[in-house]
Amino acid sequence: MSAASCLRGLDETTRRGVDLKGIAASALSERLRTVFPEREFIMRSQGQVRFVKITSRLQARGALVVVALLVAWLATMASMTLSQISAARDRSDLLAREAKVASAESRVAQYRAGVDSVASDLARRQQFIEKMVTAHLGELPDDVRKGETVSRSTEEAARTVDKVSAAVPEATGLARLEARQLAFVEGLTRYADRRARTAAAAIRKFGLNPMTMLASSSREAMGGPFLGLSTSRDGSLDPRFRRLGASLARMDALENSLAGIPQVRPANVGHMSSGFGYRSDPFNGRGAFHAGLDFAAPYGAPIYAAASGRVSFAGIKQGYGNCIEVDHGNGLVTRYAHMSRFVAAIGRQVDAGDMIGAIGSTGRSTGPHLHFEVHINGRPVNPRPFLEAASHVRQKPEVGG
């Protein structure tokens, strides 16, 4: 076959391939036009009519994008479902293991294995409790001081351990644990009593009666559901535990009362411009009673709460201008007047030294200063002894010997 014949054959084959591709492309275009026929939309705007044509090819591309997004969403949902099923299975396995560990049968088995083993576990728990109390309260006293009325069961508890060991040897560990608990309760009671005595002595240095403050605190509103405490199966409470509860309650009441006594200077100033009692009125010169102390200070200087308590009033009082009152409990209230602005709002709990406002000259005032009052059961008393006694009062209780 000649070269010319070969070339003609190749050209014929090429033309046929091109024709086949053209036919396929034409068929695809025809199918697209059938599925996605060209569409025209008529739009009217400002009196003009416009024609918008959407081709078959553009519609096909949009359909592909929608299909791709749908496939991606289905894949994401399937992955999340599988993850939730796996997490639920893991949680179910964990709960099953916890139930097995905490089941009553396993605990009974431990008791049957040996009372000493259970006693050892309880002893470790007791040791943990003692460490926690020591970390928060300090070393508990283990001595007996003159005048203290707390029981001391050390010797009797030792005899009990000996008797239990002889009669029921397997319960020796539990008897020893009971002895440790009693010693711990009695030591904690002594500690609470000593802290209460320290707080009572500090209250007396302010010229107040701690017994009166205890009586006042017992009359405050309280309530809640009854949740009885007992130390035995018959529901009774061991007298030593009852005494501990009473001592802790007395300690808390006295220490809270002490915290509510004004002990912080309400303004950082070098002098008082007016004292408590009778004076010549600065406006008319007539004799008048001044129910507090005046602290001269620059305008805008901070005002501090003299003791911990709750803000019971924040507003304007006649003669006082902008005024804040803090209720410290036990009938004790402090008043701060002539403020330029408030920092604390009604209902806020404040600690001694917290900023509650700023020095001003509102109300009946001749210049920027703080007017400070202390009221006990609605009667104004001289604040000076409180502020002077504060630096001499030891608030930290003596724990050791």
Side-chain angles (χ1 to χ4, degrees):
M1 182 181 292
S2 65
S5 298
C6 289
L7 289 174
R8 282 195 299 270
L10 289 173
D11 290 340
E12 184 66 25
T13 303
T14 301
R15 281 196 301 271
R16 289 178 180 177
V18 172
D19 291 342
L20 289 173
K21 291 181 179 179
I23 292 170
S26 178
L28 180 59
S29 298
E30 186 63 28
R31 185 177 294 276
L32 287 175
R33 282 194 293 271
T34 302
V35 178
F36 303 106
E38 289 187 354
R39 302 179 187 275
E40 289 186 351
F41 295 92
I42 300 175
M43 300 180 62
R44 183 185 297 275
S45 177
Q46 297 180 353
Q48 296 182 355
V49 178
R50 298 179 181 179
F51 295 90
V52 178
K53 181 183 290 185
I54 301 178
T55 63
S56 299
R57 189 179 298 275
L58 181 60
Q59 295 180 57
R61 289 177 179 174
L64 287 175
V65 171
V66 171
V67 170
L69 292 175
L70 180 61
V71 170
W73 179 78
L74 290 174
T76 302
M77 294 300 296
S79 176
M80 291 177 60
T81 302
L82 291 175
S83 299
Q84 291 176 355
I85 293 174
S86 177
R89 185 184 299 112
D90 293 342
R91 176 173 174 78
S92 178
D93 293 342
L94 177 61
L95 292 175
R97 290 196 299 270
E98 289 180 348
K100 183 178 180 180
V101 171
S103 66
E105 288 77 10
S106 63
R107 192 60 179 159
V108 171
Q110 292 177 4
Y111 271 96
R112 288 176 177 171
V115 175
D116 288 340
S117 175
V118 176
S120 178
D121 290 342
L122 294 177
R124 280 191 289 269
R125 292 182 185 181
Q126 176 70 17
Q127 187 178 17
F128 172 80
I129 294 173
E130 292 174 0
K131 287 183 177 179
M132 289 295 293
V133 172
T134 301
H136 289 278
L137 297 179
E139 292 293 334
L140 299 180
D142 56 1
D143 60 315
V144 178
R145 297 184 184 179
K146 183 178 179 180
E148 291 184 333
T149 59
V150 182
S151 60
R152 189 172 181 85
S153 305
T154 305
E155 296 181 359
E156 185 62 30
R159 286 193 292 269
T160 300
V161 171
D162 292 339
K163 292 180 179 180
V164 170
S165 300
V168 190
E170 63 271 20
T172 301
L174 293 177
R176 290 173 179 168
L177 175 60
E178 182 181 7
R180 282 187 62 186
Q181 288 180 342
L182 292 176
F184 179 74
V185 165
E186 291 170 346
L188 186 57
T189 304
R190 284 191 291 273
Y191 179 75
D193 286 347
R194 292 172 190 177
R195 281 182 53 165
R197 283 197 299 273
T198 300
I203 291 173
R204 291 190 187 93
K205 289 183 179 180
F206 286 105
L208 301 174
N209 187 340
M211 295 301 102
T212 301
M213 303 193 79
L214 276 178
S216 178
S217 64
S218 66
R219 291 193 297 267
E220 293 185 354
M222 59 185 67
F226 174 74
L227 301 175
L229 296 175
S230 63
T231 55
S232 61
R233 292 182 179 180
D234 61 5
S236 62
L237 185 63
D238 187 294
R240 288 164 288 201
F241 286 81
R242 189 186 301 275
R243 169 63 190 275
L244 170 61
S247 294
L248 288 173
R250 186 172 185 272
M251 177 194 74
D252 285 341
L254 287 171
E255 289 185 344
N256 289 336
S257 297
L258 178 61
I261 297 175
Q263 302 177 47
V264 174
R265 198 176 183 91
N268 289 328
V269 293
H271 71 286
M272 288 182 292
S273 56
S274 184
F276 178 87
Y278 290 94
R279 68 173 185 179
S280 295
D281 184 79
F283 287 92
N284 56 35
R286 297 167 55 186
F289 177 74
H290 189 233
L293 303 177
D294 286 346
F295 296 90
Y299 189 91
I303 298 174
Y304 306 104
S308 61
R310 182 183 62 84
V311 177
S312 56
F313 178 84
I316 299 176
K317 279 184 178 289
Q318 185 176 4
Y320 292 96
N322 293 333
C323 173
I324 276 183
E325 294 179 355
V326 179
D327 187 346
H328 307 282
N330 301 317
L332 200 152
V333 175
T334 51
R335 178 179 293 166
Y336 313 78
H338 307 311
M339 291 181 167
S340 60
R341 65 186 179 95
F342 302 114
V343 174
I346 294 178
R348 173 182 163 185
Q349 288 291 137
V350 296
D351 293 327
D354 284 354
M355 183 177 176
I356 58 175
I359 297 288
S361 187
T362 56
R364 197 169 185 269
S365 169
T366 61
H369 72 286
L370 167 66
H371 176 81
F372 174 64
E373 294 182 4
V374 176
H375 290 247
I376 298 180
N377 296 324
R379 180 177 60 87
V381 298
N382 190 355
R384 185 190 291 269
F386 294 99
L387 302 182
E388 291 179 348
S391 60
H392 305 293
V393 174
R394 292 187 60 187
Q395 298 185 43
K396 185 177 181 180
E398 296 183 4
V399 179

